Amino acid sequence: MKKIVPILLILAAVLVLGCAQQQAQEEQKIKLVEKGVLTVGSDIAYPPFEYTDEKTGKYTGFDIDLMTEIAKRLGLEVKFVNTAWDGIIPGLQAHKYDVICSAMTITEERKKQVDFSDPYFEAKQVILTRADDKSINSAQDLAGKVVAVQQGTTGDFAAQRLIDEKGIKIVEIKRFEGTPEALMAVQKGDADAAIIDNFVAYLAVKENPKVYRVVEDPAFPPEYYGIAVNKDNPELLKAINQALKEIKEDGTYDKIYKKWFGE
Ligand code: ARG
């Protein structure tokens, strides 16, 4: 008995050390653009997911809070790089940042270029039209209309599908570099409607109820946002999924969700 106890202690110590070493090695395999920092690419003109707070001049939003929390769990600082949507994936591939978190929908096309984390948010496309324009009440009603989208978004692809697959005769899809420009086009009457992510549209209506109105249509399927990671960085993807899982399990996700979307 006297001999067994020290042996067990040694065994336990070896085990603990071994685990710690393995963890350190795994962490080392994570490639980062800047040591000790999780650098995040995002098109930061997309409230409530990512935008600049007018008062403080700081980046804020659901994605900003989520990535700040994920970085914290990985023991990293977080840095956001404001990036135009057009070119946001090439920027990741060129290692300008480690991940993309930008309300980016997981799609089969994008999966060919990047890896995605587990989904962190469910969304869908909606039609945003002017409050005083009663002529649009479904996707079908976009026949004969001009539709604004942010170029290269799922709203853009959805508009094109309405034409190609449903035969809806949209007159023109006006493609803008950013979502704010697409919303402005609707407000000014340069477009009759925009097709955009639902929560971005809901916020626009909440802030400008006299300007905008939302039209929902079952033609638009559910979409899921994911954090994009380079294909050569599976250890980072793993670590992010682990952090995401913990954040969901311990109530932190719900807290962030409530802060931005209420109950
Ligand atoms: N969810 C849409 C997509 O993935 C739009 C995302 C646009 N994000 C942004 N920050 N502008 O295509």
Side-chain angles (χ1 to χ4, degrees), residues 42-46 49-50 63 83 85 88 101-107 110 123 125 150 152-157 177-180 197 223 225:
S42 187
D43 172 14
I44 310 184
Y46 208 63
F49 294 97
E50 44 264 340
D63 284 349
T83 308
W85 183 256
I88 202 165
C101 186
S102 196
M104 182 176 271
T105 301
I106 301 169
T107 69
R110 290 173 182 158
Q125 298 303 308
Q150 180 177 18
T153 59
T154 45
D156 183 354
F157 309 148
E177 158 108 23
T179 285
D197 291 14
E223 298 181 13
Y225 297 165

Side-chain angles (χ1 to χ4, degrees), residues 57-254:
K58 285 202 177 120
Y59 295 152
T60 183
F62 178 88
D63 284 349
I64 306 286
D65 281 353
L66 185 70
M67 283 320 296
T68 302
E69 187 62 35
I70 287 176
K72 198 168 110 191
R73 308 249 171 161
L74 300 186
L76 300 169
E77 273 179 50
V78 70
K79 191 192 271 180
F80 294 93
V81 179
N82 196 0
T83 308
W85 183 256
D86 182 33
I88 202 165
I89 289 181
L92 178 69
Q93 293 168 325
H95 299 283
K96 290 187 181 158
Y97 27 83
D98 302 305
V99 300
I100 300 168
C101 186
S102 196
M104 182 176 271
T105 301
I106 301 169
T107 69
E108 290 308 315
E109 270 312 302
R110 290 173 182 158
K111 272 207 249 172
K112 289 179 195 156
Q113 299 169 278
V114 296
D115 282 341
F116 279 103
S117 71
D118 296 330
Y120 70 86
F121 200 90
E122 184 178 334
K124 63 178 174 182
Q125 298 303 308
V126 296
I127 299 163
L128 187 74
T129 182
R130 269 186 307 285
D132 60 8
D133 181 349
K134 302 289 181 243
S135 68
I136 299 170
N137 295 297
S138 69
Q140 287 292 338
D141 293 341
L142 293 174
K145 306 285 189 186
V146 173
V147 172
V149 297
Q150 180 177 18
Q151 174 147 19
T153 59
T154 45
D156 183 354
F157 309 148
Q160 194 60 52
R161 270 202 307 275
L162 291 181
I163 299 174
D164 298 343
E165 290 168 21
K166 307 241 172 209
I168 299 172
K169 294 198 167 46
I170 292 172
V171 173
E172 188 194 349
I173 301 175
K174 284 195 175 169
R175 298 184 165 89
F176 295 90
E177 158 108 23
T179 285
E181 294 96 291
L183 298 189
M184 191 48 73
V186 175
Q187 176 167 7
K188 286 197 306 199
D190 294 340
D192 300 300
I195 299 182
I196 58 168
D197 291 14
N198 54 342
F199 283 98
V200 176
Y202 301 153
L203 183 65
V205 171
K206 195 174 156 202
E207 288 182 342
N208 298 295
K210 293 209 174 80
V211 176
Y212 298 116
R213 181 168 69 86
V214 167
V215 175
E216 316 241 357
D217 192 298
F220 304 119
E223 298 181 13
Y224 299 91
Y225 297 165
I227 299 159
V229 180
N230 266 318
K231 284 193 179 287
D232 66 359
N233 212 352
E235 296 300 328
L236 178 59
L237 183 69
K238 214 172 111 190
I240 285 177
N241 276 334
Q242 181 58 34
L244 200 55
K245 190 168 161 251
E246 283 169 23
I247 288 167
K248 282 183 184 164
E249 279 169 4
D250 71 10
T252 309
Y253 182 93
D254 288 343

